[in-house]
Amino acid sequence: MNLGKVVGTVVCSSKNDGISGARYLLIDKTNQRGEKKGDYLVALDLIGAGYNEMVLITEGSPSRETPLTVNKPFDALVVGIVDLIDENNKVIYRK
Amino acid sequence: MVLARVVGTVVSSHKSQKIEGIKFLLLEKIDPATMKGKGDFIVSMDSVGAGLGEIVFYVSGSSARYTDVTEGKPSDSAVIAIVDYIEKDGVYTYEKNK
């Protein structure tokens, strides 16, 4: 998975993704300290991640491995909201 | 999914038999903060009827085959949505009819 921060939302009315009322978040990929890379993607959010939260992003076909996205055209999915990251016994990110 | 602008179409009459009747869009990846093109282009199959100049996002890889238009076709990229608004840090960086 990649780490990313929720920086916004993407609204679409005409779409062909097989889900009604899908919530698309604008994600900026970050490193483990939360520093943004300016590398944006759109990810489907099923768990309700909020603005500026650090999230775990799954990309590619594994994004179809949830009850709602099975056999649907998705390749980026928010799979978790990060509370804390520690590195070499030091907390480097806390929600 | 990756954000892009529809900058053109690609027509191919001599092609794999399975992908007849599908529209190919020429897309340029964009940076949603500035809405500027990144000079990085791809060809993607259109499953939503996107028009020239519209902002869309597309899926790549095997997921591109999970729309009704691209099912069972040799497709690794499909446009699945036309974007109306992009909101970043509380500000609209893109509004479709503006």
Side-chain angles (χ1 to χ4, degrees), chain B:
Chain B
M1 287 72 78
V2 175
L3 285 160
R5 175 176 289 118
V6 178
V7 294
T9 56
V10 174
V11 177
S12 158
S13 51
H14 194 85
K15 60 194 171 189
S16 158
Q17 212 258 333
K18 274 189 168 184
I19 50 178
E20 265 154 24
I22 294 180
K23 196 163 176 232
F24 298 105
L25 295 174
L26 182 64
L27 304 180
E28 181 181 17
K29 292 183 190 173
I30 54 158
D31 171 0
T34 62
M35 294 308 293
K36 287 206 174 58
K38 291 184 180 176
D40 184 355
F41 297 84
I42 64 144
V43 181
S44 185
M45 285 189 185
D46 181 13
S47 80
V48 281
L52 193 63
E54 285 188 319
I55 300 296
V56 297
F57 56 76
Y58 63 89
V59 288
S60 316
S62 57
S63 298
R65 284 184 284 107
Y66 285 87
T67 73
D68 44 9
V69 170
T70 57
E71 200 183 347
K73 304 268 171 38
S75 160
D76 71 352
S77 178
V79 174
I80 61 161
I82 299 172
V83 173
D84 296 325
Y85 299 97
I86 299 178
E87 173 263 326
K88 179 177 177 293
D89 303 325
V91 173
Y92 281 130
T93 60
Y94 171 71
E95 287 174 82
K96 185 170 177 193
N97 302 333
K98 275 257 171 63

Side-chain angles (χ1 to χ4, degrees), chain A residues 19-87:
Chain A
I19 293 187
S20 60
R23 187 162 180 264
Y24 290 114
L25 295 180
L26 184 63
I27 306 288
D28 189 348
K29 288 189 178 169
T30 67
N31 63 13
Q32 59 272 27
R33 280 176 298 283
E35 289 143 8
K36 293 174 185 158
K37 299 179 182 173
D39 177 3
Y40 296 93
L41 78 144
V42 177
L44 179 70
D45 173 28
L46 300 177
I47 59 173
Y51 174 65
N52 222 16
E53 284 189 318
M54 187 192 277
V55 290
L56 284 170
I57 302 288
T58 286
E59 287 179 271
S61 51
S63 348
R64 299 198 308 270
E65 298 296 335
T66 74
L68 207 59
T69 58
V70 62
N71 294 333
K72 302 258 173 61
F74 287 104
D75 67 354
L77 183 71
V78 175
V79 291
I81 300 173
V82 175
D83 294 318
L84 181 139
I85 299 177
D86 64 69
E87 188 182 350

